[in-house]
Amino acid sequence: MAFVGRRAGSSICSQLCGSVVNLRMYSSRVDWKQLRPMILKRVKNRSKEYPVKRMIPVAQEVVRAREILTQGVSMLLRAVPVHSCKFCPEVHVGAMAHQMKTCHGFKRMIKDRPHKWGPGGLNNILVPVEAFHLENTCQDEIKHDQRFDFNRVPAVLELCHQAGAEIPDGVLYGRDELYTAGNANNQNFAPFLPDELRLIGQRTLEAWERLRLGVTKLLLVYPSKVCENCSEVHVGISGHKARTCGVFKFEGWRGKHKWKKAGVDDLVPQKIVWHQRPHDLPILVNSGRDYYGHAPAVVELCVQVGARASPKYNCMMKEHGLAPPIQRDEGT
């Protein structure tokens, strides 16, 4: 057996040595002056493949769903109050804000502190995400000194624009309507009937699902990037070169972004909030944090007016979960 093993080992070594001897050494010199125009021409011709005709109806449907969603949320804010913490991104949807000690401040320097609530608006429910507006999908990268030469538009609309949807300039650049809708819950409007609120909530919830589904389909065809260290989003083949990331400035990174592939949650954030179940107390307290459920802010807003959420949120919302034991929090 030992003789057979030595013979097999010698044959393998001879084959390897023979393969090394027979290798040819090629020169690594490349004439980049001739190769560069060919690469640039290929990149330029790639833009002719966009937009993909099959994805144009999807992009138009996303634009319509976003419009319905924005209008529906602004109308529901007139009937359902929204509370926003002044020191952290926490949001609560409901008549009475919760009393859980989950505030961590602006820079997360503290924890387990009570929130200081104030009135919320549209931007607390639909978190705005903006990106640079590009003329075409395959244009040159945006340099740091060019960051003020390009307009900032909603990332979803920029994605739909690159997908071939026709978006009016008033919708693409306009912000006055969103600002007016965001302050809708601070004004006194005529109350809606319960049936009207339920229909508005159900229509808004359906628009929310269509929006996320459409963005998911578009991201399979049109590349988008998000920074791993901040929430910056870029819709295009490669991320921009603007040094606006402030996470690692003190480490000498000069504010450069670290790009990765973006998902639907990067362009359409869900903004998770606490879910008020029918068998919970009117005010959510700190001792029941392990029992309460969660839900996206849009879903919670629509559910509170009588809309029926998709079954995929049941696990998150803990609809059939136990109620917390009745007891008073410490310090109350």
Side-chain angles (χ1 to χ4, degrees):
M1 292 298 293
F3 174 76
V4 175
R6 287 195 299 269
R7 188 172 182 179
S10 61
S11 62
I12 294 174
C13 292
S14 62
Q15 293 177 5
L16 290 176
C17 293
S19 62
V20 172
V21 171
N22 296 328
L23 285 178
R24 293 183 179 181
M25 302 302 295
Y26 293 94
S27 176
S28 60
R29 296 179 182 179
V30 177
D31 191 355
W32 291 103
K33 292 183 179 179
Q34 296 181 1
L35 190 60
R36 179 179 175 82
M38 298 172 58
I39 296 176
L40 294 178
K41 183 178 179 180
R42 186 172 182 179
V43 172
K44 186 177 180 180
N45 292 335
R46 184 181 180 182
S47 61
K48 298 179 181 179
E49 302 175 0
Y50 295 98
V52 181
K53 294 183 179 180
R54 293 183 179 180
M55 302 305 295
I56 294 178
V58 178
Q60 295 174 349
E61 177 64 22
V62 170
V63 175
R64 289 193 295 266
R66 181 182 180 273
E67 182 179 1
I68 297 174
L69 176 64
T70 304
Q71 294 178 354
V73 171
S74 62
M75 296 176 67
L76 293 178
L77 287 176
R78 305 175 186 178
V80 181
V82 175
H83 306 274
S84 175
C85 182
K86 296 182 179 180
F87 301 118
C88 72
E90 182 81 9
V91 174
H92 183 78
V93 180
M96 305 180 70
H98 68 75
Q99 296 181 355
M100 286 177 282
K101 299 178 181 180
T102 55
C103 183
H104 50 71
F106 288 109
K107 298 183 179 181
R108 293 184 176 270
M109 299 296 293
I110 58 176
K111 64 178 182 178
D112 298 336
R113 302 293 293 272
H115 295 277
K116 187 175 182 181
W117 299 107
L122 179 64
N123 289 342
N124 300 116
I125 304 297
L126 301 176
V127 180
V129 178
E130 294 186 343
F132 285 110
H133 179 51
L134 307 181
E135 296 180 359
N136 55 70
T137 307
C138 301
Q139 77 172 48
D140 296 337
E141 292 179 339
I142 300 176
K143 305 300 181 181
H144 180 68
D145 54 353
Q146 298 175 339
R147 62 190 185 279
F148 298 116
D149 298 337
F150 295 85
N151 295 319
R152 301 278 291 183
V153 298
V156 174
L157 295 182
E158 175 63 18
L159 181 64
C160 296
H161 170 74
Q162 295 188 17
E166 296 182 359
I167 306 175
D169 292 341
V171 178
L172 188 62
Y173 300 104
R175 299 182 181 178
D176 296 337
E177 297 179 358
L178 294 181
Y179 179 79
T180 303
N183 295 333
N185 64 328
N186 298 329
Q187 304 176 9
N188 294 325
F189 291 88
F192 294 97
L193 296 176
D195 293 339
E196 295 177 348
L197 284 177
R198 184 168 59 255
L199 291 177
I200 295 173
Q202 194 65 42
R203 183 178 59 186
T204 303
L205 198 56
E206 293 174 358
W208 165 260
E209 297 296 338
R210 291 200 307 271
L211 173 65
R212 289 182 58 85
L213 180 60
V215 171
T216 303
K217 293 180 180 179
L218 292 176
L219 289 178
L220 296 176
V221 180
Y222 295 90
S224 299
K225 305 294 181 180
V226 63
C227 180
E228 294 183 2
N229 304 321
C230 67
S231 57
E232 179 70 11
V233 172
H234 181 77
V235 182
I237 296 177
S238 60
H240 59 77
K241 298 296 183 181
R243 298 189 297 270
T244 56
C245 184
V247 176
F248 295 122
K249 281 186 177 180
F250 60 90
E251 295 184 2
W253 288 72
R254 298 182 180 180
K256 293 183 179 179
H257 294 285
K258 187 178 181 182
W259 299 108
K260 66 176 183 178
K261 185 177 180 180
V264 62
D265 290 333
D266 299 314
L267 276 69
V268 188
Q270 297 194 62
K271 191 64 177 182
I272 303 299
V273 299
W274 294 95
H275 174 55
Q276 185 84 27
R277 300 174 299 181
H279 54 275
D280 288 331
L281 296 175
I283 301 179
L284 303 182
V285 294
N286 195 53
S287 60
R289 289 170 57 177
D290 296 335
Y291 295 86
Y292 303 136
H294 296 83
V298 175
V299 177
E300 178 66 16
L301 184 67
C302 298
V303 166
Q304 290 201 11
V305 297
R308 182 173 297 179
S310 175
K312 66 181 181 180
Y313 296 110
N314 289 342
C315 182
M316 180 189 302
M317 299 169 68
K318 298 181 181 179
E319 286 290 346
H320 304 290
L322 298 176
I326 301 177
Q327 60 181 4
R328 298 186 61 183
D329 289 346
E330 297 179 1
T332 59

